Amino acid sequence: MVRTWFRRWRTERTLQRRAIPDPLWQLTLARFPFLALPNTDEAARLRELSTLFLASKEFTGVGGLEVDDTMAVAIAAQACLPILHLGLECYDSFIGIVVHEDVVVARREVVDDDGVVHEYDEELSGEAMHGGPVMLSWRDVADAGESAEAGYNVVIHEFVHVLDMRNGDADGIPVLADREALEEWVRVLSAEYDTFCDRIDAGDDETLLDPYAAEAPEEFFAVAAEAFFVAPHEFKHEHAALYALLAGYFKQDPAARRPS
Ligand SMILES: [Zn+2]
């Protein structure tokens, strides 16, 4: 009881004392138009969640990069869009956000069927780890206003992995209300995933979703969520059943709030 009261008091205090200044918030909405929500309750909620997010997370720039307020607010607001109606506690599992100037090249290894080890470089624009920090490439974050047209958004992608990992490893299945919701999720997501993989295998290069989504169900979920939020009309047109599934999970209907 006391703890609930204390948490509420602390929340109110943070919202009053650390509110994001109006000019900075307006600048953020102008740079990333998909964050400008026409419903005033939702718009106010996104701003409050962003304020609380900034107060509870720690940003670290790598290689001399200084994460200023503009950058932190840009990341916070995009990270809070998916949890607008799910709650900030969905992100309780981690504190750190590590920001690189640009993509990070990671050395990877795969072992083939003959036991031969192959090494290759992978370019990462972001990475989410279980209980660990979320890594982001600032260049990709900063480009999110322009890349929205292609359905691309690195912040939403990585934070959807965080949501996915709330119930164990990232597997494309987040925390759902009940068994019925789980069955529905698996049915729709796997059918859409299989169809998408078939299109990629057939050489279809006209897909809205990045071919990277064919990598694994958890990547398909994260890539689909990007398009759901930043290119909702195109996404709904190409993936109607998946759009409805994500709208139910996120409790949001991005296509309805924006003219096509
Ligand atoms: Zn991913």
Side-chain angles (χ1 to χ4, degrees), residues 160-240:
V160 165
H161 279 323
V162 173
L163 293 176
D164 189 347
M165 289 188 287
R166 284 184 75 210
N167 52 358
D169 290 334
D171 56 1
I173 306 172
V175 175
L176 295 159
D178 50 31
R179 189 167 183 86
E180 205 181 320
L182 175 66
E183 282 169 4
E184 167 82 350
W185 185 276
V186 172
R187 189 178 62 76
V188 176
L189 193 95
S190 45
E192 291 262 354
Y193 178 61
D194 288 346
T195 308
F196 183 76
C197 291
D198 288 346
R199 286 179 67 187
I200 298 300
D201 286 345
D204 185 346
D205 56 5
E206 299 275 287
T207 59
L208 168 68
L209 301 184
D210 191 295
Y212 178 69
E215 195 94 347
E218 61 269 25
E219 295 307 334
F220 185 67
F221 172 33
V223 173
E226 296 176 56
F228 173 77
F229 284 108
V230 304
H233 293 286
E234 295 83 345
F235 179 68
K236 191 177 182 179
H237 180 73
E238 209 165 306
H239 299 273

Side-chain angles (χ1 to χ4, degrees), residues 42-250:
E42 283 195 333
R45 189 167 170 76
L46 182 65
R47 190 167 172 176
E48 284 189 3
L49 283 172
S50 303
T51 301
L52 298 172
F53 181 97
L54 290 168
S56 61
K57 303 297 178 213
E58 281 169 15
F59 291 80
T60 310
V62 178
L65 180 72
E66 203 191 313
V67 182
D68 63 20
D69 288 353
T70 311
M71 296 162 74
V73 171
I75 293 168
Q78 294 181 70
C80 288
L81 184 61
I83 54 146
L84 194 62
H85 296 296
L86 301 180
L88 192 58
E89 59 273 18
C90 293
Y91 294 157
D92 278 352
S93 65
F94 75 100
I95 290 179
I97 296 166
V98 176
V99 188
H100 292 256
E101 187 98 47
D102 208 329
V103 293
V104 175
V105 179
R107 201 92 184 103
R108 302 290 199 207
E109 267 186 18
V110 280
V111 183
D112 69 17
D113 294 343
D114 300 322
V116 180
V117 178
H118 299 270
E119 287 196 338
Y120 64 101
D121 288 335
E122 190 180 22
E123 278 195 352
L124 300 174
S125 52
E127 192 168 41
M129 278 159 288
H130 221 283
V134 172
M135 187 278 277
L136 296 164
S137 146
W138 173 247
R139 200 174 67 143
D140 291 75
V141 177
D143 285 348
E146 292 77 52
S147 63
E149 215 173 298
Y152 176 72
N153 188 288
V154 67
V155 178
I156 292 171
H157 183 106
E158 299 309 334
F159 281 84
V160 165
H161 279 323
V162 173
L163 293 176
D164 189 347
M165 289 188 287
R166 284 184 75 210
N167 52 358
D169 290 334
D171 56 1
I173 306 172
V175 175
L176 295 159
D178 50 31
R179 189 167 183 86
E180 205 181 320
L182 175 66
E183 282 169 4
E184 167 82 350
W185 185 276
V186 172
R187 189 178 62 76
V188 176
L189 193 95
S190 45
E192 291 262 354
Y193 178 61
D194 288 346
T195 308
F196 183 76
C197 291
D198 288 346
R199 286 179 67 187
I200 298 300
D201 286 345
D204 185 346
D205 56 5
E206 299 275 287
T207 59
L208 168 68
L209 301 184
D210 191 295
Y212 178 69
E215 195 94 347
E218 61 269 25
E219 295 307 334
F220 185 67
F221 172 33
V223 173
E226 296 176 56
F228 173 77
F229 284 108
V230 304
H233 293 286
E234 295 83 345
F235 179 68
K236 191 177 182 179
H237 180 73
E238 209 165 306
H239 299 273
L242 190 53
Y243 182 95
L245 188 76
L246 296 187
Y249 170 67
F250 290 112

